[in-house]
Amino acid sequence: EQALLGSLARYEAIMGANHWASRSILSGLARVYRDTGRFEEALALHEKCRQMVLVNRSATHPDYAAELMNLATTRMFQGRDDLAEVEV
């Protein structure tokens, strides 16, 4: 977590807080949060990543599908399969 946060801080200082390429760091951090049971934090970051894809690419871009899958997977880890189906 600390390594990703440090990388994110350095990257944002150079490229800006919402730069497209920071999405991969945010997504990795969200997976760390998911895997450690911090589901709400993970969902918030995955949602931010999804929005970044929409703004910088489109809903038909493969990265958009990947972020939907990340949201659904986090819901499944959370035990909320009912919401996972809606998001995918």
Side-chain angles (χ1 to χ4, degrees):
E1 175 185 7
Q2 292 305 312
L4 287 169
L5 288 170
S7 294
L8 183 61
R10 286 187 297 278
Y11 200 90
E12 288 180 343
I14 295 167
M15 303 301 285
N18 291 309
H19 191 273
W20 165 250
S22 65
R23 185 186 66 79
S24 63
I25 299 170
L26 289 171
S27 190
L29 185 58
R31 285 190 299 274
V32 168
Y33 290 159
R34 179 193 68 205
D35 293 346
T36 56
R38 295 163 64 182
F39 301 117
E40 295 307 316
E41 291 168 282
L43 289 166
L45 288 181
H46 281 310
E47 179 59 29
K48 181 175 181 174
C49 291
R50 187 186 70 81
Q51 289 296 322
M52 290 173 85
V53 176
L54 268 180
V55 169
N56 293 287
R57 300 294 190 258
S58 73
T60 60
H61 193 277
D63 288 346
Y64 188 78
E67 291 306 333
L68 289 177
M69 191 64 164
N70 287 334
L71 284 163
T73 300
T74 301
R75 289 293 190 192
M76 288 175 24
F77 271 62
Q78 191 180 30
R80 296 298 314 264
D81 293 358
D82 56 320
L83 294 177
E85 292 176 17
V86 172
E87 292 185 47
V88 174

